Amino acid sequence: MKKTFTKYIFSSIKHDLSRLIAIFVIVVLGLGFLVGLKSTSPDLQATMSNYFNDTNFMDVYIQSTLGFSNDDVDELNGELTGVSSIEGYYQMDEFAYIDGKKNETRLIYRDFDDTSIDKLTLVSGKFPENSSEVLMLNNSSSTVNHEIGTEVKVLNSETNEYDTYTICGLVKDPFYVSHVGDVTTIGSGVLDAVLYFDSSFYEEKDITIIKIRYSEARKYNTYSKEYEDFIAQKVDEINEVSAPFIEKRIEDIKAQMTDMAREEVLKQLTDMINNNEDLTDEMKQFFINALTEFSKTEEFENLVASQIDQTFEEQFGTTEATWYVLTRDENQGAYMFKEDSTKVDAISTVFPVFFFVIALLVSITSVTRIINKDRPQMGTLKSLGYSQGMIYTKYLIYGLLTSILGAIVGVIFGLFILPSIIGFMYGTIYDLGAMVYIGDPGSIALYSILMAILIVLTITIIAFASLKDNVSSLMLGKAPTPGKKIMLEHIPFIWKHLKFNTKSMLRNVFRFKKNLIMMLIGVGGCTGLLLTGFGLKDSLSVINTTQFNTIIKYDFIAKLDSEGMEGEDPFDVGISSKSYYYEGDALGPKENVDFYMISTNSLTNYIGLDHPETFDNDSVVITNQIADILGVEAGDNITIRLDELNNTITQIRVTDITQNYVGNYLYVGEGIMKNYFPTLVQNSYIVDTQLASNEEVNAYIDEVIEYPNVLSVISSQNTKLVYESVLNNLDAIVVIIVLLCGALIAVVIYNLTDIMVSERIKEIATLRVNGYYRYESLLYIFREIFFMSGVGIIIGLVVGVFLHGFVIGGIESIGLTFGHVIGWQSYIYTILLAIGFVCLVCVLFFRKINAIKMAEALKSAE
């Protein structure tokens, strides 16, 4: 009996293969998507953490307003604990000519050893073999010539002439892991290139940056809470020991100024004597000779000390000297990657779970259908003496086979393939090492076991519920669900005007309530996911469309020195206006929000406000994210402080709120500037070049950087490029989501349609016997499928709107928001795609329905 039963199971698998494959595919999609998106963010972060360890990426770096002495590195190493390596080198941002073009360039003089902190990886070429060769960062701007042998000219501060070098190699540097240009205080504010000089070929230069690596830090994932806590302790330790170093540095700098200060004081005294017209030449000579003795007095030393203080203040400013102890979170590339990978995690909080639930429900429904279909076979086996347990074994094998195989393939897809695809996309804007797959064994096991348990549990309940019936009941099969009056029949005005086919379709739809519910859940859920995917694309696109076209109308803001601001408008294209441009932050009860304050004449020519007609000299307009975080509305007061005013706190009344997506801004009228900030002066020009192309705008900005009075240029085009690069990855993830949702909706509709057709074979055969044409019998079923799919699509559109809002809220961050409105095209694409899959499935069933043998289908089980 066992041998015969085994043969029966294998023949049954062959007979039910299409249904089992459908369940298998659904399990693969549901589990694979869940595991994949849940694993992607940890995998990406583990990959980057591994790359940082391989390249000995710094844990902490220190910069100072005074620089460092050559002894500071060794002395600091002795003061700190747990340091595995510490290095200091010279780094400075200057303009350099690369292949004849002026570029914002970072010059770094350092060692190139394999054990160095931030180890350089050679991409092409070679390391420098003499002092005339330099390396270039491979991530430098695409506008910079990256060819080996390119000529580079760098200004020599000692000779005030340009030295010429040759690029001998291209390298990767973990400090610049992002392909987006780092920020700088010169020129346009974005680095075009980074050049590396082998310090062994040059005289020892001053140290401007110190980098530290801790041995214990290698144990942690760089994005883990344990790593953050560990580094926070080390930052505190450095801050605690910094004071003596700063004091000693001040003393050393002033000591170095002593000889020059003495000469300056003597020169000033000599000039004062020579310029005194009341003195004769003999008297002047007498006093000049007396200066030698005077220079030995305490009074002279006081004058020298005063001169040293004056010179020190001119070079280093009046602010208090300090060390800036920075971590990987202050590194642009590392921080951007952390934010990007976190956004993937935010998307994974909703999509996969929703996906998983839909797949699970449809799988359970399909398994239930197989069991109900096999009731006559159960009766036959039971009559032949097979036990309930043995008969149940067949369905247990079905459940385990589909869930285990589906789980294996789904986990492989989710654990390796999906993260690899997304990792490849991230590799286009970040330097990633070999992909690391860590997954979460506990979560993966939980999801897989949960899927298998629920499928097997359903099989067990349904199977034993059927097996409890006696043989005759099983052989007869279940009676068809009786028809009942539906609510619409109680509205005669509508019901009596419907055609017979429509009435029949409506009664059948509500007659098979389980099918209706599963179709609504399956089609509605998939449609909701599909709309969310398209909606995400719409939301991300506002950065490229609305933000830098409708809102930010200007091309750049040029900050000028006082002499430049006093002269005539130096810009000869488009329109430009003198403006106030300052940085500050709005103070909130829980967190503060950084912003840029802009005030200029005819501001609405340069900024697209929501209500431009109401903006005047007394207006204070804040961007929407400031309002959301601070919880304020138009008419409320907000507390702000500006960096330029040494963080003086000011309260001003908000007159309006405007939409903005990148950064946060405070737009104020010129009257407000004069009343609330009278000490601030116009420090920049806001310029809309009105040139036709981005290339022309960038070429003009290159010319502007050459102006002697221009301190820096903030280019909106550069900002746009930064965010375009970042958002390309999210855009690619959206494409993956749409494709997977499309695959799921196709499988779901196929599975549910197969169930409906299988349940209604006798009805279709009856129609054919009664004279219905082929297409009429097809429409008998397809009308119901189209109707239920249509209702499911409508429900899905509603679900998609709410799901889209939830996901968008999860991926937004301070300074970066997205559109919350889904474009009408996305609704059209979603509807057409869903309808297309429904029609495709119906076409696939033409052959099956037309192949129904009427006589066999109408046979009575009696």
Side-chain angles (χ1 to χ4, degrees):
M1 290 179 67
K2 290 183 179 178
K3 187 176 180 180
T4 305
F5 188 73
T6 303
K7 290 181 179 179
Y8 162 70
I9 290 177
F10 279 110
S11 65
S12 296
I13 290 175
K14 183 179 179 181
H15 182 263
D16 293 325
L17 188 60
S18 62
R19 294 184 179 90
L20 295 177
I21 289 175
I23 298 171
F24 165 79
V25 172
I26 289 175
V27 173
V28 169
L29 289 174
L31 197 57
F33 198 39
L34 178 62
V35 171
L37 276 189
K38 284 290 185 183
S39 299
T40 296
S41 183
D43 285 353
L44 288 172
Q45 293 184 355
T47 299
M48 185 59 80
S49 184
N50 193 56
Y51 174 71
F52 286 161
N53 282 338
D54 289 343
T55 54
N56 209 25
F57 185 43
M58 62 85 206
D59 293 304
V60 173
Y61 64 108
I62 311 171
Q63 292 179 306
S64 170
T65 54
L66 304 175
F68 305 93
S69 70
N70 293 323
D71 297 330
D72 283 344
V73 175
D74 292 333
E75 292 177 9
L76 185 60
N77 190 21
E79 293 283 344
L80 303 178
T81 60
V83 174
S84 63
S85 52
I86 180 169
E87 295 176 9
Y89 50 77
Y90 177 83
Q91 172 178 301
M92 191 61 64
D93 292 355
E94 297 179 8
F95 289 107
Y97 287 88
I98 302 174
D99 200 20
K101 182 181 177 182
K102 187 177 182 180
N103 293 281
E104 293 87 344
T105 309
R106 181 161 293 164
L107 311 178
I108 299 176
Y109 292 76
R110 54 164 292 176
D111 295 329
F112 299 148
D113 297 337
D114 283 344
T115 57
S116 296
I117 296 178
D118 296 350
K119 183 180 75 173
L120 299 182
T121 305
L122 194 64
V123 176
S124 62
K126 62 177 183 177
F127 284 100
E129 296 176 351
N130 55 64
S131 60
S132 65
E133 295 180 331
V134 297
L135 299 173
M136 176 185 279
L137 183 69
N138 193 51
N139 294 348
S140 300
S141 168
S142 59
T143 61
V144 176
N145 191 341
H146 285 70
E147 294 182 10
I148 306 297
T150 299
E151 186 179 81
V152 175
K153 290 186 176 182
V154 178
L155 184 65
N156 188 319
S157 57
E158 295 181 359
T159 63
N160 206 31
E161 295 181 356
Y162 283 92
D163 294 333
T164 302
Y165 303 89
T166 302
I167 296 175
C168 65
L170 301 176
V171 293
K172 291 181 180 180
D173 182 346
F175 198 84
Y176 305 99
V177 71
S178 169
H179 296 182
V180 177
D182 208 25
V183 295
T184 178
T185 56
I186 64 172
S188 65
V190 178
L191 279 179
D192 288 326
V194 180
L195 298 177
Y196 301 89
F197 300 78
D198 190 333
S199 58
S200 63
F201 295 130
Y202 307 93
E203 294 182 4
E204 192 172 88
K205 287 183 170 287
D206 293 335
I207 295 174
T208 60
I209 185 169
I210 295 176
K211 294 184 178 180
I212 303 173
R213 188 81 166 103
Y214 294 95
S215 53
E216 190 178 345
R218 299 180 70 90
K219 298 189 305 185
Y220 308 115
N221 183 309
T222 190
Y223 298 104
S224 66
K225 183 68 166 57
E226 292 82 3
Y227 178 83
E228 291 180 0
D229 293 341
F230 174 79
I231 294 302
Q233 294 175 2
K234 296 303 179 184
V235 170
D236 291 340
E237 182 183 24
I238 295 171
N239 284 325
E240 288 173 3
V241 303
S242 64
F245 286 89
I246 295 172
E247 291 174 6
K248 183 175 180 296
R249 179 62 176 162
I250 293 173
E251 292 174 0
D252 291 344
I253 293 173
K254 289 186 175 181
Q256 294 171 10
M257 293 177 176
T258 300
D259 291 341
M260 188 181 296
R262 292 178 70 86
E263 292 178 6
E264 180 64 25
V265 171
L266 286 172
K267 181 179 180 302
Q268 289 176 0
L269 292 174
T270 301
D271 291 344
M272 186 171 27
I273 293 170
N274 287 329
N275 294 331
N276 191 332
E277 298 179 355
D278 295 333
L279 297 178
T280 63
D281 290 342
E282 292 79 6
M283 294 174 66
K284 290 179 181 179
Q285 189 60 47
F286 172 80
F287 284 120
I288 290 173
N289 293 336
L291 287 178
T292 304
E293 292 300 320
F294 179 69
S295 64
K296 300 175 183 178
T297 64
E298 183 179 349
E299 186 178 356
F300 180 81
E301 294 300 328
N302 290 337
L303 290 174
V304 171
S306 177
Q307 180 63 39
I308 290 173
D309 290 339
Q310 181 182 340
T311 304
F312 185 89
E313 184 174 316
E314 289 173 355
Q315 291 189 12
F316 300 101
T318 57
T319 57
E320 185 178 350
T322 185
W323 274 9
Y324 297 99
V325 186
L326 308 172
T327 68
R328 292 179 180 179
D329 274 347
E330 281 75 47
N331 175 268
Q332 177 176 304
Y335 178 76
M336 285 174 60
F337 183 84
K338 179 181 179 180
E339 288 295 301
D340 277 2
S341 60
T342 302
K343 285 179 173 56
V344 178
D345 199 38
I347 291 176
S348 73
T349 57
V350 178
F351 269 94
V353 176
F354 214 62
F355 219 80
F356 180 82
V357 170
I358 293 171
L360 182 61
L361 288 174
V362 176
S363 299
I364 291 173
T365 304
S366 301
V367 171
T368 303
R369 167 58 195 152
I370 292 174
I371 295 173
N372 289 334
K373 175 186 68 68
D374 282 356
R375 284 176 61 85
Q377 295 177 13
M378 289 180 178
T380 302
L381 291 171
K382 201 171 181 182
S383 67
L384 292 173
Y386 287 90
S387 66
Q388 291 185 13
M390 184 170 285
I391 298 172
Y392 163 72
T393 304
K394 170 188 174 180
Y395 306 103
L396 179 62
I397 290 172
Y398 276 18
L400 292 176
L401 189 67
T402 53
S403 58
I404 292 175
L405 289 179
I408 291 171
V409 176
V411 167
I412 291 173
F413 172 76
L415 203 56
F416 299 106
I417 298 176
L418 191 57
S420 295
I421 294 171
I422 297 175
F424 174 78
M425 295 170 181
Y426 269 66
T428 60
I429 63 169
Y430 294 103
D431 287 332
L432 281 174
M435 197 72 185
V436 176
Y437 305 97
I438 57 171
D440 183 355
S443 297
I444 292 171
L446 175 64
Y447 304 144
S448 303
I449 293 171
L450 181 63
M451 176 73 81
I453 286 176
L454 290 175
I455 290 176
V456 171
L457 183 62
T458 305
I459 288 173
T460 304
I461 295 171
I462 302 297
F464 279 104
S466 297
L467 289 168
K468 285 180 181 178
D469 293 344
N470 55 44
V471 173
S472 59
S473 298
L474 289 170
M475 295 294 285
L476 284 171
K478 279 193 172 183
T481 305
K484 295 180 181 179
K485 279 191 174 183
I486 61 174
M487 186 180 297
L488 201 59
E489 292 186 55
H490 297 286
I491 309 176
F493 176 77
I494 298 176
W495 184 256
K496 69 180 182 180
H497 288 91
L498 297 178
K499 293 181 179 179
F500 170 77
N501 288 335
T502 304
K503 293 179 179 179
S504 175
M505 178 267 293
L506 290 173
R507 293 198 69 179
N508 283 332
V509 164
F510 292 100
R511 173 183 163 204
F512 300 99
K513 292 184 175 60
K514 288 182 181 178
N515 290 345
L516 172 62
I517 292 171
M518 288 311 304
M519 186 68 86
L520 295 182
I521 292 175
V523 175
C526 292
T527 303
L529 290 173
L530 209 54
L531 180 63
T532 304
F534 284 122
L536 281 174
K537 192 171 178 61
D538 292 335
S539 297
L540 302 181
S541 68
V542 297
I543 303 297
N544 299 331
T545 55
T546 307
Q547 179 66 29
F548 293 100
N549 289 317
T550 307
I551 298 176
I552 301 295
K553 301 177 184 178
Y554 63 85
D555 291 308
F556 64 89
I557 293 177
K559 299 188 77 170
L560 277 63
D561 58 23
S562 56
E563 184 179 344
M565 293 304 299
E566 290 172 0
E568 294 182 1
D569 186 342
F571 305 104
D572 56 359
V573 297
I575 58 173
S576 57
S577 175
K578 283 185 178 182
S579 64
Y580 299 86
Y581 184 82
Y582 292 97
E583 296 180 37
D585 56 343
L587 309 184
K590 295 182 179 179
E591 58 182 323
N592 302 334
V593 187
D594 295 335
F595 63 74
Y596 297 97
M597 184 172 71
I598 299 178
S599 177
T600 189
N601 184 34
S602 303
L603 182 135
T604 53
N605 289 336
Y606 306 96
I607 307 293
L609 301 178
D610 288 356
H611 308 105
E613 69 282 355
T614 63
F615 190 86
D616 56 30
N617 280 343
D618 297 320
S619 293
V620 175
V621 180
I622 62 174
T623 49
N624 55 300
Q625 193 176 57
I626 299 177
D628 292 341
I629 294 175
L630 270 58
V632 299
E633 298 177 351
D636 295 341
N637 290 332
I638 61 168
T639 304
I640 65 170
R641 58 186 178 194
L642 300 180
D643 299 347
E644 187 72 18
L645 299 179
N646 297 320
N647 296 325
T648 301
I649 294 176
T650 307
Q651 267 204 347
I652 56 176
R653 179 177 171 274
V654 175
T655 59
D656 199 7
I657 298 168
T658 192
Q659 181 68 52
N660 194 71
Y661 300 105
V662 176
N664 284 298
Y665 292 87
L666 190 69
Y667 304 116
V668 300
E670 292 185 298
I672 294 291
M673 291 300 303
K674 293 175 182 177
N675 291 333
Y676 284 84
F677 312 105
T679 60
L680 295 181
V681 296
Q682 291 176 320
N683 63 346
S684 57
Y685 275 87
I686 187 167
V687 182
D688 177 7
T689 63
Q690 298 182 348
L691 294 173
S693 67
N694 293 333
E695 290 74 17
E696 290 178 300
V697 173
N698 289 332
Y700 184 74
I701 291 176
D702 288 339
E703 294 177 15
V704 169
I705 292 171
E706 301 277 1
Y707 293 178
N709 299 117
V710 172
L711 300 175
S712 63
V713 175
I714 299 93
S715 167
S716 61
Q717 181 65 21
N718 283 338
T719 307
K720 178 182 178 181
L721 291 175
V722 169
Y723 283 97
E724 274 184 351
S725 299
V726 173
L727 295 175
N728 278 342
N729 283 325
L730 282 178
D731 212 22
I733 293 170
V734 168
V735 173
I736 293 174
I737 290 172
V738 169
L739 291 176
L740 289 175
C741 288
L744 181 63
I745 196 172
V747 176
V748 166
I749 293 173
Y750 179 89
N751 218 22
L752 294 176
T753 304
D754 184 44
I755 292 171
M756 290 181 62
V757 171
S758 299
E759 288 178 341
R760 311 285 291 283
I761 286 178
K762 189 173 289 189
E763 288 183 44
I764 296 170
T766 302
L767 293 173
R768 292 291 304 279
V769 169
N770 287 330
Y772 277 69
Y773 292 109
R774 287 181 183 272
Y775 80 91
E776 290 176 323
S777 60
L778 288 172
L779 286 177
Y780 182 77
I781 293 294
F782 291 160
R783 278 194 197 95
E784 299 172 26
I785 294 171
F786 291 148
F787 177 79
M788 290 187 286
S789 297
V791 176
I793 290 171
I794 293 171
I795 293 173
L797 295 177
V798 176
V799 171
V801 170
F802 290 100
L803 188 59
H804 169 264
F806 183 84
V807 174
I808 285 297
I811 64 175
E812 289 181 335
S813 56
I814 300 295
L816 181 63
T817 61
F818 303 105
H820 286 255
V821 177
I822 302 175
W824 62 267
Q825 298 94 333
S826 293
Y827 288 98
I828 300 298
Y829 296 151
T830 300
I831 294 169
L832 290 178
L833 202 55
I835 291 174
F837 281 121
V838 173
C839 293
L840 177 63
V841 169
C842 289
V843 170
L844 294 176
F845 275 93
F846 281 178
R847 186 176 178 183
K848 181 174 182 177
I849 295 176
N850 287 331
I852 294 174
K853 296 178 180 179
M854 292 178 287
E856 188 174 322
L858 291 172
K859 280 182 182 178
S860 174
E862 293 88 353

